Amino acid sequence: MTASRTIQIEPLTREAYAPFGQVIETAGAHHYPINGGMTERYHDLAKVELGGVHARPLVSIARGQPYALPLTLNMVERHPLGSQAFYPLSQRPFLSIVAPDEGGIPGLPRAFLAAAGQGINMAMNTWHAVLTPLGETADFLIIDRGGDGNNLEEYFFAEPYLVVATGSILY
Ligand SMILES: NC(=O)N[C@@H](O)C(=O)O
Ligand code: NI
């Protein structure tokens, strides 16, 4: 594996993730009391995008098996008709691996470590690795797009990448 095909995991922040979507977390979010002050609403955290014919939002639960690190990344996918959000239902870290689009194929991937309490919403048509739990089986709420048409495009790399955790990344 050449060094150019090694991807170092980096912390997930709103700013770093902005080209790919939004981070779903309470930290830094607009919030206000509701229900007579009994509840605090952390409001409008992600941009759900629904395209194509007969589009409708889907709310699902994914029970994901953990991946080991270092992780060999052979493939990324994207959903041309809608965004896709994953919010962990446990306080477990997971990886969000995404890549820019470069003329219809993925550019250099980036691997973000979502800390406990962080979820992600990938913008429509964003290249990404499939859901990547770490350490143990974990449940996630999925919010994405249903409707007519094909909402999945896959890309298999000619040479895989290796996703590694440097010393500062603990999971
Ligand atoms: N299909 C599905 O629910 N998940 C994948 O698209 C994925 O990104 O993991
Ligand atoms: Ni996906």
Side-chain angles (χ1 to χ4, degrees), residues 40-122:
E40 195 72 12
R41 180 176 171 129
Y42 293 80
H43 184 64
D44 195 12
L45 301 178
K47 182 184 175 188
V48 178
E49 298 170 280
L50 304 171
V53 177
H54 297 140
R56 66 187 183 90
L58 301 177
V59 179
S60 310
I61 289 176
R63 179 158 295 160
Q65 299 304 311
Y67 288 78
L69 292 180
L71 180 146
T72 300
L73 180 67
N74 294 298
M75 182 274 283
V76 289
E77 63 173 39
R78 63 181 177 179
H79 307 299
L81 299 177
S83 56
Q84 186 171 58
F86 290 104
Y87 193 79
L89 300 180
S90 60
Q91 293 294 310
R92 290 289 311 160
F94 68 101
L95 281 187
S96 176
I97 303 170
V98 288
D101 182 61
E102 293 178 355
I105 62 172
L108 181 64
R110 293 177 69 178
F112 294 96
L113 181 70
Q118 289 186 311
I120 52 98
N121 179 59
M122 297 174 287

